[in-house]
Amino acid sequence: FPLVGVAMKQKEAAMDRFINDYRQLVGMHITYKTGVREMFQMLQKGWAIGLIMDQDTSRHDGVVLDFFGRPTNCVVGPASIARFRDVPILPIFITREANGHHRILVHDAVFVEKTKDKQEDIRRTTAELMKIIEAHIRRYPEEWFWLHDRWKSMRP
């Protein structure tokens, strides 16, 4: 699948180039998380958009849901984009095999129900996606490499 990798621009320009060069080596097109218009254009052309969902977003941009029994702010971009463009969301994970190889796990497609309540449609779909992510982490806890504070925006 042609894949658009959505990245956060690194503060250091040389590091940003270094990371993106490696992403592009495997055929990814890179856009930054501010490039929503470009994401829509690429979707229209048949590209898949790769978004990472286990991020803590600002309190103004996310939706508060339970994650491992604690309320946290969750990214709504995947559900918002999927609802707007009527495209499915494919939760995908990569896990390590005992022999050193990796296996790509592709879950069933998640579709955003389109009712008159746009915000609830997005909240409900995001909650479903967070449950899928949490279940994967519970199954492979040693593989959840996390450098950020997942619950930071929930503190006063």
Side-chain angles (χ1 to χ4, degrees):
F1 293 98
L3 178 64
V4 176
V6 179
M8 186 162 73
K9 191 170 191 109
Q10 301 300 305
K11 291 177 187 169
E12 189 65 42
M15 181 56 76
D16 194 62
R17 267 192 317 276
F18 175 78
I19 293 169
N20 288 334
D21 284 350
Y22 273 94
R23 291 170 172 154
Q24 291 168 342
L25 279 175
V26 296
M28 266 196 258
H29 172 84
I30 303 301
T31 191
Y32 294 107
K33 64 181 190 175
T34 55
V36 176
R37 279 198 179 123
E38 184 179 11
M39 286 182 234
F40 286 140
Q41 291 167 350
M42 299 303 279
L43 270 174
Q44 191 103 19
K45 294 176 183 177
W47 287 67
I49 309 294
L51 296 168
I52 297 175
M53 283 202 57
D54 62 348
Q55 304 287 311
D56 186 321
T57 186
S58 77
R59 289 189 102 160
H60 306 331
D61 296 332
V63 60
V64 176
L65 299 165
D66 273 355
F67 188 62
F68 287 100
R70 293 172 58 191
T72 191
N73 230 353
C74 300
V75 175
V76 296
S80 297
I81 292 170
R83 187 182 187 281
F84 185 73
R85 285 291 186 209
D86 290 319
V87 295
I89 300 168
L90 291 174
I92 299 174
F93 303 91
I94 299 174
T95 187
R96 189 182 322 253
E97 299 281 311
N99 63 7
H101 290 97
H102 291 82
R103 184 170 33 128
I104 298 174
L105 305 170
V106 181
H107 287 256
D108 290 340
V110 174
F111 293 89
V112 183
E113 185 180 5
K114 216 169 186 179
T115 69
K116 291 180 182 179
D117 190 342
K118 174 183 170 182
Q119 296 307 316
E120 178 57 20
D121 296 345
I122 292 168
R123 189 207 65 75
R124 186 175 43 255
T125 304
T126 302
E128 182 179 350
L129 294 168
M130 293 310 297
K131 287 178 184 172
I132 292 168
I133 292 169
E134 186 176 324
H136 179 81
I137 294 168
R138 285 185 188 281
R139 184 165 179 199
Y140 303 98
E142 69 283 359
E143 294 186 8
W144 192 42
F145 182 67
W146 187 247
L147 297 173
H148 306 282
D149 180 353
R150 181 65 181 92
W151 292 270
K152 70 182 175 191
S153 69
M154 297 309 296
R155 288 197 247 336

